[in-house]
Structure formats: C-alpha cells, structure tokens
Amino acid sequence: VGERLAKAPRRLLVQRSLQGQRLRRGILRGATLAFITTGYEGKRFIYEKAYELGVRIVVIDSPDSWSRKLVEEKKAVKFIPVDMMQSSSEL
C-alpha cells in the first residue's frame, strides 16, 4: 500500500470525485489491514465494507470477541486472540 500511495498523484488522491474514489479503492484492494479491538458488534458493517472493497482483514481482539466470526465467515483472514487485560510487558 505504501508504494501505491507514494506513486499516486496527491491531487487526485484527496479529490472528492469519482476518479479520486476509484484511485483510493484501487489502493485499498488487496491491502492487508490489522484492526485492533473491533468494538461492539454494531460496528460489523465497517469490516464488511472493508471486505467488499477487497481488504485482507486481520483482527486482534480479546479471545471471546464477536469478531472471531469474521474469520469463520471468510471476511477476515486471521483472528489473533489477545488478553486485553494484560500489561504491554506481559504481551
């Protein structure tokens, strides 16, 4: 993604137009994004939209998170369970 962003014309990248939107979506397609703590299940539409746009989704969340289902549904490529109550030194 970084390489594609660097090559994209800045003017077009920020432009509120169909061309700008196509460019941004093209950059996203095939990109891998990690989502850390997905929030409540009402935010599911965000991850479904990212999937529709061709984003490869990796979820890092608590072991009992609803977002684990995204992998079962093939909308996320990986779920990494992390006990969010641990301190960073324990991780």
Side-chain angles (χ1 to χ4, degrees):
V1 172
E3 204 173 287
R4 287 185 272 177
L5 272 174
K7 290 180 180 178
R10 172 99 176 119
R11 179 191 56 74
L12 187 56
L13 194 59
V14 298
Q15 194 174 78
R16 296 181 112 182
S17 67
L18 186 58
Q19 272 187 308
Q21 185 179 43
R22 284 183 181 152
L23 175 63
R24 291 185 294 275
R25 287 182 175 192
I27 290 170
L28 269 179
R29 191 171 297 110
T32 301
L33 294 179
F35 292 92
I36 303 168
T37 63
T38 54
Y40 64 98
E41 195 165 2
K43 294 183 177 185
R44 171 185 272 276
F45 73 95
I46 296 168
Y47 310 104
E48 289 176 345
K49 185 64 174 181
Y51 171 77
E52 288 172 19
L53 292 172
V55 174
R56 292 174 34 107
I57 299 169
V58 175
V59 177
I60 301 170
D61 211 336
S62 59
D64 61 344
S65 171
W66 67 268
S67 58
R68 179 184 291 271
K69 292 184 243 175
L70 293 171
V71 174
E72 295 165 11
E73 298 166 0
K74 306 268 191 255
K75 292 181 179 170
V77 295
K78 188 161 184 90
F79 179 86
I80 302 171
V82 175
D83 181 356
M84 299 298 177
M85 299 306 287
Q86 291 179 329
S87 71
S88 60
S89 62
E90 292 176 302
L91 295 174

